[in-house]
Amino acid sequence: MKKLFEETKIGTMSLKNRFIRSATWENKTTETGHMTNELYEIYETLAKGEVGLIVTGYANILKEEQPNPGMMGIYNDTFIKEYQKLTTLVHNSDSKIIMQLAYGGTKTTFNLGERVIYAPSEVCEIGTKTLGKAMTKSEINYVIDGFAQASRRVKEAGFDGVEIHGGHSYLINQFLSPYYNKREDEYGGSLENRMRFLLEIYKEVRNTVGEAFPVLVKLTASEFFEGGMTFDETRIICKELEEMGVDAIEITGNIHGKAKSMVGQSFDGHQIQKEGYFLEYGKVISEDIGIPVITVGGLSDINKIEEILNTTNIQYFAISRPLLTEPHLIKRWKEGDRREVKCIRCSKCRTDHGNYCTVFNK
Ligand SMILES: Cc1cc2nc3c(=O)[nH]c(=O)nc-3n(C[C@H](O)[C@H](O)[C@H](O)COP(=O)(O)O)c2cc1C
């Protein structure tokens, strides 16, 4: 029988339990993405709360590309020192921390008009209606290099690994998507071509950080709309990523968008559930590939999580909103208080003055 509180490994990274704080943009940095005391405290509290692995909020790899306010930056070397302080703080509490790297793209309404936003093709993002600039080959190379340079900084800052954000309709996801990607060059058309951008980013990141440094990828299971990327395509992408050496894959969806209204329904033949929204998708992928699969979305009951662990090949469980409500949730569960999370999934945690639980932590 597998246990939630047992030591396991993602690549070379040892973890004390199977709980992960899923990447959560806190909206608490300075205007230029630098650390604040409040942010250090948030991470220290999570580490003291026994989270096995913390994924930072998505960090922008290029200075001019900041899709949201208050995001952590990783766009130049000035960040290395302050993140060394962050990683030391987390390690002192025997927790691990990786940084999530992102190029947001058109899924934004922040600072429009002041900057060029890249996209695979000129197709508005469904939710924001923001239109991007179809990228040239040299712009593609520029972004790939941005990811590679950011991963170098992540390693130098003492993080335990890096996660490439390939989900949630951000730029990488849009390249994968036949809805957003209408290109006629080697980056568009067939799935092989649409995944080229992600694979090239991975390859450059891997070349930069070396074989032993954990590299994870977060991927959308399905786009949940007609004409979007399908789950069958995601399955193929996961196999390719495994073959190339990715250490683990986190299977997500765009739960704040279309998928939210689909809880309890099926799409691509699989069910979006109340407990563990994307569980069925993660389960199938965990049977397809040998590297660890992380499920995220709507996990709330430790008894059910334990059951998932022992009835599927899913090995890790990532949690976001419940840890905003209860940063010590994992410690509470570990110490025997197995009540469900307090979080009611209202998603009112995004505010102009920082992202936090506005219901229980006023
Ligand atoms: C305030 C907030 C910020 C988030 N920021 C990120 C992020 O930076 N990167 C990311 O991949 N997902 C982000 N997410 C999505 C979560 O990681 C997670 O996939 C989603 O909330 C579902 O998990 P949950 O039900 O445990 O909250 C965010 C979610 C919330 C509520």
Side-chain angles (χ1 to χ4, degrees):
M1 189 172 145
K2 287 181 275 181
K3 294 198 178 94
L4 287 168
F5 292 96
E6 68 185 347
E7 197 166 316
T8 57
K9 273 185 164 182
I10 290 182
T12 57
M13 172 172 58
S14 293
L15 299 173
K16 64 180 171 185
N17 61 50
R18 298 177 186 270
F19 289 107
I20 298 176
R21 194 295 289 257
S22 183
T24 306
W25 154 59
E26 293 96 352
N27 193 4
K28 300 269 187 190
T29 62
T30 67
E31 238 175 69
T32 49
H34 285 277
M35 289 294 287
T36 55
N37 286 339
E38 197 181 354
L39 208 42
Y40 283 120
E41 272 169 35
I42 288 172
Y43 281 90
E44 191 174 22
T45 306
L46 286 168
K48 287 194 169 147
E50 299 273 357
V51 175
L53 174 64
I54 302 170
V55 187
T56 66
Y58 64 158
N60 54 314
I61 56 158
L62 298 171
K63 185 170 186 188
E64 67 276 16
E65 203 287 316
Q66 190 187 328
N68 258 316
M71 287 176 62
M72 293 163 90
I74 187 74
Y75 53 78
N76 66 34
D77 286 5
T78 65
F79 288 96
I80 295 172
K81 203 160 173 222
E82 65 202 81
Y83 290 145
Q84 278 167 348
K85 180 175 162 188
L86 174 68
T87 55
T88 303
L89 212 60
V90 168
H91 292 154
N92 285 346
S93 291
D94 194 27
S95 182
K96 298 279 163 69
I97 181 164
I98 66 177
M99 177 158 258
Q100 187 184 65
L101 303 183
Y103 183 102
T106 58
K107 195 184 168 191
T108 185
T109 51
F110 181 62
N111 273 348
L112 297 181
E114 291 175 26
R115 58 194 175 98
V116 176
I117 302 177
Y118 293 142
S121 311
E122 291 196 3
V123 177
C124 285
E125 206 277 329
I126 291 176
T128 62
K129 308 279 185 278
T130 299
L131 189 65
K133 174 186 184 299
M135 293 166 81
T136 62
K137 175 76 176 120
S138 76
E139 287 163 344
I140 286 176
N141 288 338
Y142 171 65
V143 173
I144 293 172
D145 186 57
F147 273 97
Q149 292 305 320
S151 69
R152 171 185 58 76
R153 294 176 197 120
V154 165
K155 192 174 178 193
E156 282 176 32
F159 285 97
D160 300 286
V162 68
E163 180 173 75
I164 298 169
H165 197 341
H168 297 171
S169 306
Y170 294 131
L171 184 65
I172 295 175
N173 190 165
Q174 291 191 352
F175 265 86
L176 296 172
S177 166
Y179 177 86
Y180 288 109
N181 184 343
K182 306 290 186 198
R183 299 179 71 91
E184 288 176 356
D185 62 1
E186 70 270 34
Y187 292 94
S190 65
L191 179 61
E192 191 187 345
N193 282 354
R194 280 182 276 130
M195 70 169 117
R196 193 178 306 280
F197 183 56
L198 168 61
L199 299 187
E200 288 184 357
I201 288 171
Y202 170 71
K203 221 186 286 172
E204 279 311 303
V205 166
R206 178 57 80 203
N207 285 343
T208 306
V209 297
E211 285 305 311
F213 196 68
V215 181
L216 289 69
V217 175
K218 188 166 181 173
L219 276 186
T220 289
S222 161
E223 284 196 304
F224 303 117
F225 56 79
E226 290 302 323
M229 185 179 68
T230 65
F231 181 52
D232 281 344
E233 292 182 322
T234 301
R235 292 176 68 179
I236 295 168
I237 297 164
C238 289
K239 283 186 192 152
E240 192 65 37
L241 289 173
E242 175 185 30
E243 220 159 88
M244 290 185 69
V246 165
D247 292 286
I249 298 177
E250 183 177 3
I251 296 297
T252 184
N254 197 359
I255 201 61
H256 301 293
K258 186 106 176 167
K260 197 173 178 185
S261 61
M262 296 173 61
V263 170
Q265 297 180 36
S266 79
F267 202 89
D268 290 338
H270 296 271
Q271 188 87 10
I272 300 176
Q273 304 174 118
K274 281 209 167 76
E275 174 76 23
Y277 304 136
F278 309 117
L279 187 59
E280 280 201 33
Y281 298 86
K283 184 176 164 203
V284 171
I285 288 172
S286 75
E287 283 154 10
D288 284 345
I289 60 177
I291 53 172
V293 168
I294 303 161
T295 187
V296 64
L299 298 166
S300 63
D301 180 341
I302 188 169
N303 297 320
K304 294 201 180 124
I305 297 173
E306 229 159 41
E307 191 186 313
I308 299 164
L309 177 64
N310 282 294
T311 53
T312 74
N313 285 330
I314 294 171
Q315 296 193 37
Y316 294 95
F317 302 89
I319 295 174
S320 170
R321 289 166 298 175
L323 286 166
L324 289 175
T325 312
E326 298 175 89
H328 283 132
L329 171 69
I330 309 307
K331 188 165 189 273
R332 163 161 91 68
W333 278 346
K334 187 182 173 200
E335 289 173 353
D337 177 351
R338 293 168 69 94
R339 281 177 297 169
E340 281 188 26
V341 301
K342 268 169 78 180
C343 168
I344 54 170
R345 302 179 188 170
C346 63
S347 288
K348 290 184 183 147
C349 25
R350 292 156 193 245
T351 83
D352 289 344
H353 47 279
N355 297 337
Y356 64 102
C357 177
T358 53
V359 175
F360 293 104
N361 302 331
K362 289 186 180 171

